[in-house]
Amino acid sequence: MKPYGIVINIDINSVTTPFLTKVTENGRVPDISELYPFVDIYRDTDVTDIAFCTFCQYSATPSEVFSDAAFKRYQTTENGVSVDYTDRYGALVHLYEHGIDPNKVWFDRCREAGLRSWLSIRMNDCHEPDEDASFLRSEFFYEAREKGWTVGADYGYFRWCFDYAVPQVREKMLAYIDEQLRMYEPSGLELDFMREPYCFNYGDGRDHAAIMTGFLREVKNIVTEAEERRGVKIPILIRVPRDPETALDYGFDPVTWEKEGLCDILNPTPRWETCDSDIPIRRWKSLLPKTEIYAGIEILVSGACGRDHAEASMTRGYANQYLDDGADKIYLFNYYVNPYAPDAMMQEVHRTCGTPEHTASAPCRNIVTYQDITVNPAHRYHPLPMAVRAGETAELTIGTGRISGEACLILGYEGGEPAVSVNGTPVTAGTGYLDDPYYKNGNCTFVSCAFLPGEAVRHRITLSAQTDTAVVYAEIRYH
């Protein structure tokens, strides 16, 4: 039986800070057992792996390579600006100063709980690019900016991302990875290139894929040394853009990585703006037969009904689709939970989105979205809006994975009402599900069409109209 499961990525501060603030309130020094709930809340769920983010632009863990939490806690000026980050780092540093390292406790607790732990490193985070100073920045940020070691102004929000074509940038990151693997004993190492994927100036004419592959060879050497010290296998998990073409556009070449044994697990994923409704998991599995593929699902869903947090049924729909496509596991980003403020929806996701048996036993929704990031617009997946000219037909494909029983196609359109066929069979317009308040957010007309999917896991939607129309929303609901 294939194990399946869920990887949860724990943000560096969004949930960690409030949790640690609670356990250290009024200056308490907690027993280490009081840190266990941060891991234990995922026990007896579909979660099998926890990725602890310890680095974005600074190191949350003790470091001599990058500015760390203790440095930020006592920092009073940054880039000529007065700062006070006590509230951000006070609890974490309080624990360090009393001999308690939360991440070490959590790595150990994962091992006891039968969960895999990952040391997750954001390889190029660039939050708050417009701020004069930021609680997230190390001093190396300012050095890199001053010396031109960033990708440059052409990249807007991403302009201060480190340029991996610069040897000093690569050397700094390698030194940090080596330092942290000497300090901690996680189950694996995660390189998160989706915060952010802009690792090069793409107009400089260099072979970016060759540079990045060279960098990963050095990472592999560091990991091999750590494996020899510990006597265990340390897998490498890498987060990359959704499809092979986009990944290569950014300088990521997983096909070569597999040939050279540089990556054990690949996580193709959206960045942040929305879940992606058509990550080509089957193509990845075909291209990389020796590499595990974890399908990435974000916390947001964007489209004609606005942008909001995914409901559990939406996350479950994408999980059902990608597990059926062959994904080895589901990777959830921004789905963490604070044990002192549990979120019922998040906990439902953790219980029901990691195996085909669980996704098949509860309501699912597959909403058509789009590819949220690309460096090459020619490779962008963005099916909606879809124009349907009078007297012509148009087609849209929606993946769902296997469905038991009846399903319902919901379309939102602007213009004339389209005639609809699903998998070659005409369907009749109805009103099923349209009383859901969710559809009140869409500035369009909705129609609902029941159908029997049979064995189909990807559904061909054929549209025609007597007058011009545009389909701006599409979804299949089932179970």
Side-chain angles (χ1 to χ4, degrees):
M1 174 63 70
K2 194 174 183 179
Y4 299 108
I6 292 172
V7 183
I8 291 286
N9 184 290
I10 304 294
D11 187 80
I12 194 168
N13 51 56
S14 298
V15 69
T16 308
T17 298
F19 175 80
L20 294 180
T21 298
K22 177 67 175 178
V23 299
T24 61
E25 62 185 349
N26 301 318
R28 290 183 61 247
V29 179
D31 184 83
I32 63 168
S33 63
E34 295 179 66
L35 302 182
Y36 292 169
F38 201 67
V39 168
D40 289 351
I41 196 167
Y42 301 106
R43 299 178 78 159
D44 301 318
T45 71
D46 283 355
V47 175
T48 55
D49 300 66
I50 304 178
F52 296 92
C53 178
T54 60
F55 180 85
C56 54
Q57 299 175 38
Y58 77 99
S59 178
T61 53
S63 178
E64 298 295 326
V65 178
F66 277 97
S67 305
D68 61 12
F71 175 85
K72 299 297 287 185
R73 160 66 178 83
Y74 292 108
Q75 191 174 28
T76 57
T77 61
E78 178 181 353
N79 194 34
V81 178
S82 295
V83 296
D84 182 354
Y85 298 132
T86 305
D87 290 345
R88 301 281 190 177
Y89 300 110
L92 177 58
V93 175
H94 175 71
L95 291 172
Y96 285 146
E97 291 175 344
H98 286 85
I100 299 174
D101 184 330
N103 284 285
K104 183 180 186 306
V105 171
W106 294 331
F107 290 147
D108 290 345
R109 187 60 174 174
C110 282
R111 194 173 299 111
E112 295 167 3
L115 299 169
R116 286 198 301 182
S117 63
W118 296 85
L119 179 72
S120 177
I121 299 174
R122 293 188 175 187
M123 302 302 289
N124 218 349
D125 193 280
C126 68
H127 273 88
E128 302 191 343
D130 299 321
E131 301 299 320
D132 291 332
S134 171
F135 74 100
L136 294 169
R137 288 182 191 156
S138 70
E139 293 301 285
F140 185 70
F141 168 89
Y142 297 104
E143 180 183 358
R145 189 171 70 174
E146 178 183 348
K147 293 180 177 178
W149 297 346
T150 60
V151 298
D154 289 346
Y155 296 93
Y157 175 88
F158 305 100
R159 62 192 179 277
W160 303 131
C161 285
F162 297 146
D163 185 348
Y164 274 70
V166 176
Q168 291 89 336
V169 168
R170 302 195 301 273
E171 291 165 4
K172 190 80 168 178
M173 295 305 298
L174 290 168
Y176 181 73
I177 292 168
D178 183 54
E179 174 192 57
Q180 296 298 300
L181 287 180
R182 291 178 184 276
M183 188 180 308
Y184 296 108
E185 295 187 351
S187 304
L189 170 68
E190 175 181 89
L191 308 180
D192 184 358
F193 282 107
M194 293 305 289
R195 290 294 188 277
E196 302 288 348
Y198 289 87
C199 293
F200 299 98
N201 174 1
Y202 296 99
D204 64 9
R206 301 186 184 188
D207 188 339
H208 305 120
I211 295 170
M212 183 58 70
T213 298
F215 171 77
L216 291 180
R217 291 188 191 109
E218 295 300 316
V219 172
K220 180 63 175 179
N221 290 339
I222 291 169
V223 170
T224 299
E225 291 176 3
E227 289 173 332
E228 292 171 353
R229 289 195 301 271
R230 291 176 52 189
V232 298
K233 166 72 174 175
I234 303 174
I236 299 174
L237 189 164
I238 305 180
R239 283 170 40 86
V240 298
R242 69 182 298 276
D243 61 73
E245 293 79 15
T246 301
L248 196 56
D249 287 340
Y250 277 103
F252 307 121
D253 184 5
V255 172
T256 298
W257 301 349
E258 179 175 275
K259 290 177 181 176
E260 298 191 19
L262 304 179
C263 173
D264 300 285
I265 302 166
L266 195 77
N267 170 218
T269 184
R271 176 184 170 266
W272 167 82
E273 186 174 317
T274 183
C275 293
D276 190 312
S277 59
D278 203 25
I279 298 173
I281 298 298
R282 293 178 189 270
R283 286 186 58 212
W284 280 116
K285 294 291 289 184
S286 177
L287 278 173
L288 306 174
K290 299 177 183 178
T291 303
E292 289 188 55
I293 304 296
Y294 294 178
I297 301 178
E298 255 293 348
I299 190 63
L300 297 176
V301 173
S302 299
C305 289
R307 178 187 302 154
D308 205 348
H309 285 88
E311 299 173 7
S313 58
M314 299 173 187
T315 307
R316 199 159 41 239
Y318 296 127
N320 189 68
Q321 172 186 353
Y322 293 137
L323 289 171
D324 193 81
D325 284 345
D328 295 282
K329 291 192 181 185
I330 297 299
Y331 191 116
L332 299 180
F333 202 87
N334 285 329
Y335 283 82
Y336 43 75
V337 63
N338 182 349
Y340 289 110
D343 182 295
M345 189 282 288
M346 292 289 193
Q347 291 178 296
E348 179 183 345
V349 167
H350 301 157
R351 292 193 307 270
T352 65
C353 292
T355 72
E357 292 76 17
H358 288 164
T359 60
S361 63
C364 291
R365 302 176 64 179
N366 288 79
I367 298 172
V368 175
T369 60
Y370 54 89
Q371 178 178 348
D372 68 351
I373 194 167
T374 182
V375 75
N376 182 352
H379 288 160
R380 192 178 190 202
Y381 164 75
H382 202 303
L384 300 179
M386 175 174 286
V388 184
R389 303 298 182 190
E392 299 180 0
T393 61
E395 287 194 353
L396 173 70
T397 300
I398 305 177
T400 59
R402 298 185 191 281
I403 298 175
S404 58
E406 189 176 75
C408 188
L409 168 69
I410 296 172
L411 297 176
Y413 63 92
E414 298 173 351
E417 181 175 338
V420 184
S421 293
V422 179
N423 301 324
T425 302
V427 292
T428 303
T431 59
Y433 293 108
L434 296 185
D435 58 349
D436 188 326
Y438 180 80
Y439 302 111
K440 300 293 189 287
N441 298 321
N443 187 24
C444 59
T445 303
F446 287 95
V447 63
S448 170
C449 307
F451 70 98
L452 291 172
E455 296 298 313
V457 297
R458 291 179 64 82
H459 308 279
R460 178 169 50 89
I461 315 302
T462 306
L463 307 159
S464 61
Q466 294 182 346
T467 59
D468 288 353
T469 191
V471 173
V472 298
Y473 181 89
E475 169 187 7
I476 293 178
R477 299 179 72 144
Y478 49 98
H479 295 155

